[in-house]
Amino acid sequence: MSVSLPDFHIVIPARYASQRFPQKLMADLGGKPVLQWVYELALNAGAKSVTIATDHQVIESAAKDFGASVVMTRDDHENGTERLAEVASIMGWQQDEIIVNVQGDEPLLPVALIHATVKALAEDTESEMATIACGIDNTDELFNPNVVKVVCDGKQRALYFSRAPMPWDRNGFMTQAEHQPLPTDFPALRHIGLYVYRASLLAKYASLPMSPLEQWEKLEQLRFLHQGIKVQVAKADGLPPHGVDTEEDLEALRRLVL
């Protein structure tokens, strides 16, 4: 049964430093910082609240300049999920409230993906979090370790995430696995890094140890699967515009927004 879009909060974890592209969230994109683009798209999503979470005064000052709500967090978080968990605790959100993690370096993330992922979690009352994925067209994508794959069960919940190609087409890949289109019913999806959580899961996140699977694959979402946490996977029509990981990414986005 389909449900209407419930209330949800958006938190934007915003780190000042980045190994590949330092201070990228403050970089100019069409006359305003990358982070401001993300904040404005989050506002357009119709969230109950939108909060930028940071541990750096430069981010805090810039965010306040463009009218954002900012929460200062600890500086020892290892990832954005930990920062989200601290914000949820500070804000006193109830256990059943829905919280969206929107990355601060995704200035052109379609609002429709946020809505689809929130709705997917709302419709699956047994899952504690949701994410989103799209189809994979060819074996080059499937065999690329930088493309994270996800396979799902019959209820569209994640069975596994991997950098490796999966599932393995025993007959097809034995003969020719490279540079081939995949059939439209191929069951692997390309993971899109957007996460939606129930506040109750964030509250216990700090107590969840890193799993062996996560250590090998370097994929944080495997921590949840290892603990038996159900992850609902929404389906997107296609891959959204790339975020800002490098200066080349920024230049590409500048050409898009001009």
Side-chain angles (χ1 to χ4, degrees):
M1 181 178 67
S2 179
V3 300
S4 60
L5 198 67
D7 287 340
F8 61 96
H9 304 278
I10 292 178
V11 178
I12 305 169
R15 292 177 62 247
Y16 184 68
S18 172
Q19 290 183 342
R20 283 193 287 179
F21 187 0
Q23 304 173 34
K24 64 181 179 180
L25 301 189
M26 293 294 95
D28 179 81
L29 177 61
K32 54 190 176 185
V34 168
L35 183 61
Q36 185 174 350
W37 282 82
V38 177
Y39 180 72
E40 290 173 357
L41 77 84
L43 289 179
N44 289 334
K48 189 175 180 180
S49 70
V50 179
T51 306
I52 292 175
T54 187
D55 59 6
H56 202 286
Q57 290 182 343
V58 169
I59 297 280
E60 179 191 33
S61 177
K64 287 183 175 179
D65 284 345
F66 56 74
S69 172
V70 186
V71 169
M72 291 295 288
T73 59
R74 302 197 317 267
D75 61 4
D76 59 347
H77 291 308
E78 293 185 4
N79 53 53
T81 308
E82 289 185 3
R83 207 173 300 278
L84 241 69
E86 184 183 356
V87 172
S89 176
I90 290 171
M91 304 296 279
W93 289 328
Q94 298 300 306
Q95 298 288 285
D96 61 347
E97 293 196 73
I98 294 175
I99 302 162
V100 183
N101 181 350
V102 172
Q103 298 296 327
D105 58 3
E106 298 281 351
L108 299 185
L109 178 72
V111 167
L113 296 191
I114 297 174
H115 290 173
T117 314
V118 168
K119 191 172 182 181
L121 182 59
E123 291 179 340
D124 183 359
T125 57
E126 294 182 16
S127 288
E128 295 182 72
M129 62 180 287
T131 189
I132 193 164
C134 64
I136 297 177
D137 295 330
N138 56 73
T139 54
D140 289 346
E141 272 189 279
L142 187 69
F143 282 74
N144 184 347
N146 294 315
V147 173
V148 177
K149 279 70 67 174
V150 57
V151 290
C152 302
D153 65 12
K155 295 183 177 180
Q156 202 55 24
R157 294 171 183 159
L159 287 169
Y160 192 62
F161 296 86
S162 184
R163 298 183 183 279
M166 64 174 190
W168 185 263
D169 180 355
R170 189 189 66 172
N171 294 330
F173 293 166
M174 289 293 286
T175 55
Q176 175 65 25
E178 295 182 352
H179 313 301
Q180 296 295 311
L182 291 169
T184 55
D185 61 348
F186 192 76
L189 297 172
R190 177 173 182 156
H191 184 226
I192 299 169
L194 174 67
Y195 295 101
V196 177
Y197 305 91
R198 299 192 195 278
S200 56
L201 177 57
L202 290 175
K204 62 185 180 184
Y205 177 77
S207 65
L208 301 178
M210 182 180 291
S211 74
L213 297 172
E214 177 186 359
Q215 289 175 325
W216 283 103
E217 293 258 20
K218 306 304 181 191
L219 296 174
E220 181 192 345
Q221 58 269 39
L222 292 175
R223 183 178 311 189
F224 299 104
L225 293 187
H226 184 78
Q227 296 292 329
I229 291 164
K230 295 180 176 65
V231 181
Q232 178 62 220
V233 181
K235 180 76 181 292
D237 292 332
L239 199 63
H242 199 282
V244 181
D245 291 330
T246 66
E247 293 189 41
E248 290 75 19
D249 293 335
L250 180 63
E251 289 301 322
L253 289 178
R254 282 172 175 162
R255 291 191 290 271
L256 283 177
V257 302
L258 290 179

